[in-house]
Amino acid sequence: MPRPRLTVAPAGSRLALPPAADGGWVHLVEAGLVRPVAITADGREFGLGLLGPGEAFLQDERDAAPGIGLYVDAVDDARCLTFPRTELSAVAAEDPETAARLLHALCGRAADLAELAVSLTLESPPDRLARLIGHLARRHGVAEAGAVRVRVRQQDLAAMVGLCRETVNAALGRLAAEGRLRIGRQTIWIPAAGDAPDAG
């Protein structure tokens, strides 16, 4: 079985990803928190969420096209295992436990993207943000003093829900005025009860 590549990145640095043209890769987060960002042909950047231990992201040949790419920032000290996509069948045959972890992570990622697609189609900007922040709190929030703290930048929230920064700022202000969250510098606190500011 091919040995997975281990990538270690301190908080605030960028993960060193292998060339996307080498057949594609599956990256499994082992520790820490990472922020994948996709770059489009016209230079726009879209945050693909915040991923923590047990979650995965894909890198394939499309990320090697001219003007298109993917980079991943370490929000916390991070460790990722990287598997060649073309060798996943060998991983499944020789290490079923690791294969099951990868499958679980990828299915979870697909479910998250499906939920986001519904939210983008049917919900108002404040409700989109409430749903996303609740999701991030459940996955990556830290409980403290009757609240759950989520470290996230407004530009990442904007990219994840397909809104401009100004709209996100206004929607967060509305949610804060309603007492559904509290805003700090690159940090959001929500009431601990239910772990989420209910959408709607």
Side-chain angles (χ1 to χ4, degrees), residues 113-169:
L113 292 174
E115 180 181 347
L116 177 60
V118 171
S119 176
L120 291 175
T121 303
L122 301 177
E123 295 181 332
S124 67
D127 287 341
R128 287 191 219 174
L129 282 171
R131 183 181 298 276
L132 174 61
I133 293 166
H135 170 79
L136 295 175
R138 288 187 294 274
R139 289 288 182 89
H140 311 299
V142 177
E144 55 179 40
V148 177
R149 173 172 54 86
V150 182
R151 286 189 298 139
V152 63
R153 304 179 304 176
Q154 286 194 23
Q155 58 260 46
D156 293 321
L157 291 174
M160 284 186 264
V161 295
L163 298 170
C164 68
R165 288 278 302 277
E166 292 77 11
T167 302
V168 165
N169 187 273

Side-chain angles (χ1 to χ4, degrees):
M1 181 184 75
R3 224 174 225 193
R5 174 186 299 194
L6 175 64
T7 302
V8 178
S13 67
R14 188 157 291 175
L15 275 71
L17 299 179
D22 289 351
W25 306 85
V26 179
H27 305 274
L28 179 67
V29 182
E30 277 228 308
L33 196 63
V34 302
R35 179 191 301 115
V37 178
I39 307 170
T40 66
D42 59 3
R44 290 181 295 168
E45 297 187 357
F46 292 91
L48 303 178
L50 295 174
L51 303 178
E55 296 182 298
F57 61 96
L58 299 175
Q59 180 190 11
D60 62 24
E61 294 90 339
R62 289 172 294 181
D63 296 317
I68 297 177
L70 175 78
Y71 67 84
V72 181
D73 290 331
V75 179
D76 299 324
D77 293 345
R79 292 164 46 95
C80 288
L81 291 178
T82 298
F83 300 84
R85 198 177 67 173
T86 54
E87 302 291 344
L88 289 182
S89 58
V91 174
E94 299 191 32
D95 189 347
E97 183 178 344
T98 297
R101 289 173 61 200
L102 282 170
L103 181 60
H104 182 270
L106 294 173
C107 287
R109 186 74 176 138
D112 290 345
L113 292 174
E115 180 181 347
L116 177 60
V118 171
S119 176
L120 291 175
T121 303
L122 301 177
E123 295 181 332
S124 67
D127 287 341
R128 287 191 219 174
L129 282 171
R131 183 181 298 276
L132 174 61
I133 293 166
H135 170 79
L136 295 175
R138 288 187 294 274
R139 289 288 182 89
H140 311 299
V142 177
E144 55 179 40
V148 177
R149 173 172 54 86
V150 182
R151 286 189 298 139
V152 63
R153 304 179 304 176
Q154 286 194 23
Q155 58 260 46
D156 293 321
L157 291 174
M160 284 186 264
V161 295
L163 298 170
C164 68
R165 288 278 302 277
E166 292 77 11
T167 302
V168 165
N169 187 273
L172 287 174
R174 176 179 156 184
L175 292 171
E178 294 172 354
R180 296 161 71 181
L181 51 78
R182 184 162 50 92
I183 306 167
R185 186 175 181 275
Q186 298 188 9
T187 304
I188 293 173
W189 290 268
I190 64 174
D195 290 347
D198 294 334

